[in-house]
Amino acid sequence: GEDVEQSLFLSVREGDSSVINCTYTDSSSTYLYWYKQEPGAGLQLLTYIFSNMDMKQDQRLTVLLNKKDKHLSLRIADTQTGDSAIYFCAEIPNSGYSTLTFGKGTMLLVSP
Amino acid sequence: EPEVTQTPSHQVTQMGQEVILRCVPISNHLYFYWYRQILGQKVEFLVSFYNNEISEKSEIFDDQFSVERPDGSNFTLKIRSTKLEDSAMYFCANSLAGTYEQYFGPGTRLTVT
């Protein structure tokens, strides 16, 4: 079955880069996503990558996909205190539908 | 970014009562989803809905749950007889046909006492 795993917690200093990692089990995953959840808020779509790509950059965000190792990462450059949130990795398995399977989320804490 | 809205933001109900959670989708985004997140656990898929019918549902989505678009715009999730274990954050999501971007609402926190 599908499973998505993430480390639970990451702490960085303001201005440093953050790297949040995710592994997934379904080798036929088509799309992989990063969502951000701030306290008391919903899930904000940050970025996503199609499985035939290995990198996508969007301003301070860089997504790297290693399909062989089934490993996805999100790099946030110049991390700010406003980036403190829970970051969810998610995938759409190649099941013919478009439902998302989520990881448990990584809490990113950015200290001044 | 397009916005999905949900009401109420928080609902407290007694076990056995019926609840209806409402979602206002983004205009022209015709794929609808409900997910839930029990405190401390993963976000889990419940059901997807397109063209006025359920496309897919998970094992969680049993006979106690139902979805509909009562007025052709809003999208609702009904739980007929709530149980304590239904306490969770319920998220509505929405996507445009032919895309894989799912936009989530802020969620409804359901507390069953």
Side-chain angles (χ1 to χ4, degrees):
Chain A
E2 307 108 13
D3 201 12
V4 178
E5 297 291 337
Q6 302 177 237
S7 52
L8 293 182
F9 186 75
L10 177 65
S11 178
V12 300
R13 287 192 174 275
E14 194 173 23
D16 289 349
S17 290
S18 307
V19 180
I20 302 170
N21 295 300
C22 169
T23 57
Y24 58 97
T25 56
D26 189 342
S27 59
S28 60
S29 292
T30 52
Y31 285 87
L32 295 126
Y33 299 78
W34 286 103
Y35 280 84
K36 176 184 179 184
Q37 185 180 35
E38 296 184 46
L43 297 165
Q44 176 194 354
L45 176 61
L46 283 179
T47 186
Y48 64 98
I49 189 167
F50 187 48
S51 57
N52 69 352
M53 299 168 65
D54 51 22
M55 187 182 94
K56 182 178 180 182
Q57 186 150 5
D58 184 1
Q59 298 182 338
R60 292 191 297 122
L61 305 179
T62 304
V63 178
L64 295 177
L65 175 60
N66 181 328
K67 209 174 170 188
K68 175 175 164 289
D69 294 338
K70 294 179 223 165
H71 182 265
L72 182 76
S73 68
L74 175 69
R75 180 177 179 269
I76 305 173
D78 187 26
T79 315
Q80 303 297 307
T81 54
D83 295 324
S84 293
I86 300 176
Y87 290 80
F88 291 93
C89 173
E91 63 167 356
I92 289 183
N94 188 18
S95 62
Y97 295 97
S98 55
T99 61
L100 290 165
T101 299
F102 283 86
K104 272 194 170 181
T106 299
M107 179 177 290
L108 174 64
L109 181 63
V110 184
S111 54
Chain B
E1 183 181 297
E3 208 170 86
V4 177
T5 59
Q6 290 184 242
T7 56
S9 56
H10 189 191
Q11 171 105 37
V12 181
T13 190
Q14 288 191 326
M15 201 167 53
Q17 296 296 305
E18 175 184 284
V19 294
I20 298 176
L21 310 183
R22 292 182 171 79
C23 171
V24 179
I26 302 164
S27 177
N28 297 325
H29 285 55
L30 301 179
Y31 283 82
F32 306 93
Y33 310 83
W34 283 103
Y35 292 82
R36 79 169 185 195
Q37 185 182 29
I38 295 172
L39 188 64
Q41 296 188 25
K42 293 186 179 187
V43 177
E44 301 171 292
F45 167 72
L46 292 177
V47 65
S48 60
F49 187 88
Y50 172 68
N51 204 23
N52 288 320
E53 60 182 28
I54 290 174
S55 305
E56 191 181 14
K57 60 183 181 179
S58 71
E59 291 174 354
I60 303 166
F61 194 86
D62 62 21
D63 292 342
Q64 293 298 314
F65 292 89
S66 62
V67 289
E68 64 174 355
R69 290 189 75 195
D71 55 10
S73 59
N74 295 333
F75 181 51
T76 63
L77 173 70
K78 183 193 289 187
I79 310 174
R80 267 185 212 91
S81 177
T82 50
K83 303 186 285 284
L84 293 175
E85 53 265 37
D86 293 327
S87 295
M89 196 76 163
Y90 288 81
F91 293 106
C92 172
N94 200 202
S95 64
L96 189 61
T99 74
Y100 288 90
E101 299 171 13
Q102 288 188 29
Y103 296 98
F104 281 71
T108 293
R109 180 168 297 285
L110 176 65
T111 303
V112 182
T113 62

